[in-house]
Amino acid sequence: MKVVTGVVGNDIHVVANRLIEISLQARGYEVFNLGVNTYLEEFIDAVIETNADILLISSLNGEAEGWCRELNILKSKYKSLDDVVFMLGGNLAVGEAKTEDLVPKFKNYGFDLVFHQVDLNSGLDALEKYVKAKK
Ligand code: B12
């Protein structure tokens, strides 16, 4: 399966991004890594160009909401995105935000899978389960 990944918005935290690329490759995915400082529109363009199955976005600096809340608007423009799995993870807010508040909020913006301060391998295991259940 093909995965587009990267770090959203003005976020320059690159370490997790490299780990994500390596971990996805080790699990057999074909990875298109757009790196840090990537805007939502660029992710969508890359998913369409590569015909990817999954978009995995990281956000570490706490600004995910500002950069991700228009996902549903972008998704509605392209029929070919209907079967794509949209996944978001990292540190999704600054301060004391609760996972039980953040997950529904980002799902409402159009993400299928949302992980706030969840380690990478647990997130990738959950992705595999989700993809299997969807088939
Ligand atoms: C190194 C670092 C920096 C470096 C980054 C260097 C670089 N080019 O990467 C520098 C010094 C430049 C920096 C800058 C800033 N940083 Co900084 N930084 C860190 C630090 C110390 C480590 C980050 C790191 O590399 N961790 C190692 C990787 C492997 O771990 P990780 O990033 O957490 O990723 C793991 C998980 O989050 C998860 N994950 C990540 N993405 C995804 C996606 C999915 C789908 C899943 C399932 C899991 C997942 O998997 C990874 C592996 O387990 C953290 C604090 C910390 N201890 O985590 C702060 C931290 C991330 N930074 C923070 C902040 C606020 C900033 C600044 C805004 C500070 C400032 N005022 O200027 C700027 C941001 C600038 C910008 N435009 O983005 C905050 C974010 C706060 C929040 N979200 O609540 C943190 C948490 C520090 C803190 N406690 O306040 N930072």
Side-chain angles (χ1 to χ4, degrees), residues 10-16 19-20 37 56-63 87-95 115 117-124:
N10 67 343
D11 197 331
I12 45 77
H13 294 93
V14 74
V15 181
L19 287 178
I20 288 169
N37 270 327
L56 189 165
I57 293 180
S58 274
S59 176
L60 287 316
N61 68 2
E63 296 186 17
M87 179 175 184
L88 175 69
N91 302 314
L92 300 184
V94 181
F115 301 95
Q117 295 178 345
V118 171
D119 81 272
L120 181 57
N121 278 316
S122 306
L124 294 182

Side-chain angles (χ1 to χ4, degrees), residues 6-128:
V7 185
V8 73
N10 67 343
D11 197 331
I12 45 77
H13 294 93
V14 74
V15 181
N17 176 251
R18 288 290 295 125
L19 287 178
I20 288 169
E21 180 179 352
I22 292 163
S23 302
L24 285 168
Q25 283 168 342
R27 287 172 183 245
Y29 294 98
E30 185 179 350
V31 183
F32 299 87
N33 187 0
L34 307 189
V36 296
N37 270 327
T38 302
Y39 296 101
L40 202 53
E41 292 81 357
E42 296 174 307
F43 281 118
I44 299 295
D45 286 347
V47 168
I48 292 167
E49 274 176 38
T50 60
N51 200 20
D53 306 286
I54 298 158
L55 173 59
L56 189 165
I57 293 180
S58 274
S59 176
L60 287 316
N61 68 2
E63 296 186 17
E65 185 168 9
W67 299 108
C68 292
R69 67 179 152 219
E70 306 218 322
L71 180 60
N72 268 334
I73 298 170
L74 291 170
K75 277 166 82 173
S76 68
K77 292 186 185 165
Y78 305 99
K79 191 102 200 67
S80 62
L81 296 176
D82 284 358
D83 291 328
V84 175
V85 177
F86 291 86
M87 179 175 184
L88 175 69
N91 302 314
L92 300 184
V94 181
E96 306 272 304
K98 291 191 188 123
T99 300
E100 55 266 38
D101 298 329
L102 290 171
V103 171
K105 183 195 278 186
F106 284 98
K107 286 196 171 174
N108 221 17
Y109 293 148
F111 288 93
D112 302 298
L113 296 166
V114 178
F115 301 95
H116 174 57
Q117 295 178 345
V118 171
D119 81 272
L120 181 57
N121 278 316
S122 306
L124 294 182
D125 289 346
L127 170 66
E128 276 168 19

